[in-house]
Amino acid sequence: MPAPRAALHSHAPTGPVRFRSWRVFAVLALLVAFMATVNVIAWSHRQRPFSVGRKALHPPLLSGAHPHHFPLYWEDDERVAYALTSFEKDVLAAWRDRHDEDVFNYRVGGPKEPLLTRELGGRFGMLAQAALGRGSKRSQKRKRLTSVTIPVDPTAFNFRLAKGEEVLGRYDVGDHRVARVPLQSGLALRDQKAAVPDEANLLIINANPMCPYHFLLVPQYGLLHPQALTEASLLLALAYAGRQSSEYFRLIFNSVGAGSSVNHHHWQGIYLRHGFPIEARSLTPLHTCGAVRVHEVADWPLRAYVLAADAPTDLARAAMAVVTTLQGSDIAHNLLVLDGGRRVLLVPRTIGYFPDVRKLQVAACEVLGLWVVPNQEEYDSLHPEQAEALLAAARPPDAFDVVAIVKAAAL
């Protein structure tokens, strides 16, 4: 007669009821663990976390974020303290669609743009980002610059050569909306003028994005305006910024010689989670000229000024008075539109020459305290003293009086 199953193994429990209870408990525990794992994976897929430096952070919709500068746009996330407007949702949805369709030169969050970010340390609190895909950008095919206002070369790359699938929409400033444009994929914009007239203000993807939702605002794209700021362009940018619900949306303008790689008039648009490091510095009030308030950024390697006004026309008039002076003196400059178009941060700097896009350069993000580094070696080795020295070397002669310029514009 065969022995009972519980007695087949000397280490098995002699009480069959207790043995079966243990097995049931183990199966239930495994089932609970399995369900918990499934829930975690599903949540992680929605959140799509990634590694930033030594920390894993909850990311934005696409791939992840360092808390200092990447977006946290997650429409169903309670941590977002503001509701996206339909205006923003349309633009962000269009950007995500292009990203999912692999229209960009690389995927944000992938090997070429891992969104790896670290704090440099030092007294200015600057940051560095490894933007490895940016090293594949189009090189500037021009000689060393001596002027910030140069004519457009129609034979060089311009945004009329962008393909239909790269367009996010057309910004109609009159009714403050972004309209979808029926364009043919694979065909350049210059060959689709029936759908997009020359006077259209287009939102186009940045094919080499530094972060999620990085795009270009190209005013009157077909008229081939040079990369020299005008009052009409600034008013357009202020109006566009005023439609954003996020207080950390930024529009950036790089003059020729200040990091602009294409001499075709455009703005860079990005969404941040916090301001740039320069925005954390205190401001020294200089003067109030009518409706315009003028401040200087205290304790920064470059002189930087903040102009503020409630009315866009007042702000644009004052800012353009300063910019026009800089253009006339061939002083390069970076301009940042912030606070929903109520403030402008202006940084004059010497003309830079960056023929090798694979190397570190001093463009807009850098003068604002975020070093976008296109190669791993420089990203790993960059230290705060080096960053501060690079900014200090870009400081132009103090040959103009911002307050006097703004006063004269107010007359």
Side-chain angles (χ1 to χ4, degrees):
M1 184 175 179
R5 179 176 296 273
L8 288 177
H9 306 286
S10 59
H11 62 274
T14 56
V17 174
R18 184 169 50 192
F19 176 70
R20 289 172 183 167
S21 299
W22 177 83
R23 291 185 65 185
V24 170
F25 176 81
V27 170
L28 288 175
L30 288 173
L31 182 61
V32 170
F34 174 77
M35 294 303 296
T37 301
V38 169
N39 288 332
V40 169
I41 291 174
W43 181 87
S44 299
H45 178 72
R46 291 193 301 270
Q47 299 290 321
R48 298 177 187 171
F50 83 111
S51 174
V52 183
R54 297 183 180 179
K55 298 180 180 179
L57 302 172
H58 298 314
L61 201 54
L62 283 173
S63 56
H66 186 285
H68 286 283
H69 71 289
F70 288 119
L72 182 56
Y73 272 116
W74 189 260
E75 289 88 338
D76 299 324
D77 195 326
E78 294 179 355
R79 291 170 294 179
V80 177
Y82 46 84
L84 294 175
T85 64
S86 59
F87 180 96
E88 291 172 293
K89 286 181 179 179
D90 289 344
V91 175
L92 300 182
W95 197 99
R96 289 195 300 269
D97 289 344
R98 305 307 188 275
H99 192 260
D100 291 341
E101 295 162 2
D102 291 327
V103 175
F104 297 83
N105 290 336
Y106 47 82
R107 292 188 65 81
V108 174
K112 288 189 175 182
E113 185 50 271
L115 300 179
L116 187 65
T117 307
R118 68 183 178 90
E119 295 181 351
L120 289 182
R123 65 192 182 96
F124 295 110
M126 290 190 279
L127 308 168
Q129 177 196 336
L132 308 183
R134 302 282 286 176
S136 61
K137 284 176 53 180
R138 184 180 299 101
S139 296
Q140 300 181 70
K141 297 180 180 180
R142 60 169 89 109
K143 298 179 180 179
R144 187 174 296 275
L145 299 169
T146 58
S147 175
V148 300
T149 54
I150 58 178
V152 173
D153 179 0
T155 65
F157 174 81
N158 59 75
F159 299 116
R160 296 188 305 176
L161 301 177
K163 301 295 192 295
E165 64 271 22
E166 298 179 52
V167 176
L168 301 176
R170 183 184 68 204
Y171 175 51
D172 295 326
V173 67
D175 53 9
H176 296 292
R177 70 186 185 96
V178 173
R180 295 292 180 96
V181 184
L183 293 170
Q184 182 177 338
S185 297
L187 189 62
L189 295 179
R190 66 180 180 184
D191 300 321
Q192 304 191 62
K193 289 189 177 181
V196 279
D198 289 344
E199 295 78 13
N201 306 311
L202 294 186
L203 303 181
I204 301 176
I205 67 167
N206 189 312
N208 299 286
M210 60 166 282
C211 61
Y213 311 117
H214 185 185
F215 70 93
L216 307 175
L217 171 60
V218 186
Q220 298 180 325
Y221 87 100
L223 299 183
L224 273 185
H225 296 304
Q227 188 66 356
L229 191 61
T230 65
E231 188 167 341
S233 173
L234 181 52
L235 282 169
L236 179 74
L238 296 178
Y240 188 91
R243 299 297 297 172
Q244 311 300 311
S245 63
S246 170
E247 64 178 306
Y248 294 120
F249 171 75
R250 299 290 182 266
L251 278 172
I252 301 171
F253 184 88
N254 300 332
S255 78
V256 170
S260 175
S261 59
V262 178
N263 186 25
H264 184 182
H265 201 94
H266 65 284
W267 293 79
Q268 305 271 352
I270 56 175
Y271 289 86
L272 313 178
R273 288 184 65 186
H274 297 279
F276 283 103
I278 192 174
E279 296 179 47
R281 313 306 294 182
S282 60
L283 297 178
T284 301
L286 296 181
H287 195 74
T288 297
C289 305
V292 180
R293 302 172 295 281
V294 183
H295 299 79
E296 183 173 0
V297 177
D299 192 26
W300 192 252
L302 286 165
R303 297 195 71 174
Y305 304 92
V306 174
L307 279 65
D310 295 328
T313 52
D314 293 333
L315 181 55
R317 185 183 304 110
M320 277 310 304
V322 180
V323 169
T324 301
T325 301
L326 297 175
Q327 291 171 341
S329 302
D330 282 322
I331 298 175
H333 44 279
N334 302 103
L335 189 142
L336 179 69
V337 173
L338 59 163
D339 290 350
R342 293 183 295 274
R343 292 199 301 165
V344 165
L345 190 151
L346 181 62
V347 186
R349 35 83 61 80
T350 57
I351 293 177
Y353 179 58
F354 313 108
D356 190 350
V357 296
R358 297 167 298 178
K359 299 293 185 180
L360 187 67
Q361 60 175 288
V362 182
C365 288
E366 290 74 20
V367 303
L368 303 173
L370 170 61
W371 292 84
V372 181
V373 189
N375 68 82
Q376 190 69 47
E377 181 180 357
E378 286 187 310
Y379 171 77
D380 292 335
S381 63
L382 184 64
H383 54 83
E385 292 77 17
Q386 178 187 2
E388 294 166 21
L390 287 170
L391 290 187
R395 181 167 176 159
D398 298 329
F400 57 94
D401 185 339
V402 169
V403 172
I405 296 170
V406 174
K407 281 183 177 179
L411 297 178

